[in-house]
Amino acid sequence: GADVIIGHHPHVVQPMERYRTRRDPDREVPIYYSLGNLINPFTADYLCRSYVARLELARGRAKDGTVKTYVRSAGRVDVRQVIDEDAGTLRIVAR
């Protein structure tokens, strides 16, 4: 019954996929396995990459007539953490 699944534990970016549900084969559920670390104290390139989930929601009527909110579209924005140690700043920039 989930509309979206967002995982996070590995702290590095992992793939996103869409799962077609058995209960409602017209519906796909986006699964984000890991969005990474948006902000962290590390400088290794693979640890400075992250995703921001981009979801568009819509209200719709299910086959039984009930009104529900569905995920209309799902994607991700690839971002990178940029640290300026001299200035003591951290910026998040889209890649």
Side-chain angles (χ1 to χ4, degrees), residues 22-62:
R22 282 182 235 146
R23 188 177 68 194
D24 184 355
D26 295 330
R27 189 169 66 114
E28 290 183 343
V29 174
I31 302 171
Y32 298 90
Y33 286 100
S34 177
L35 297 174
N37 281 326
L38 189 59
I39 297 175
N40 66 68
F42 307 113
T43 57
D45 186 56
Y46 74 98
L47 292 173
C48 293
R49 288 186 58 217
S50 294
Y51 295 137
V52 175
R54 175 173 277 178
L55 298 167
E56 181 181 346
L57 305 177
R59 302 272 300 166
R61 198 165 295 280

Side-chain angles (χ1 to χ4, degrees), residues 60-79:
R61 198 165 295 280
K63 290 180 181 178
D64 66 2
T66 59
V67 175
K68 295 187 176 191
T69 301
Y70 290 98
V71 175
R72 177 179 286 171
S73 66
R76 62 184 185 212
V77 177
D78 195 358
V79 297

Side-chain angles (χ1 to χ4, degrees), residues 2 8 12 64 76 89:
H8 197 293
V12 294
D64 66 2
R76 62 184 185 212
T89 61

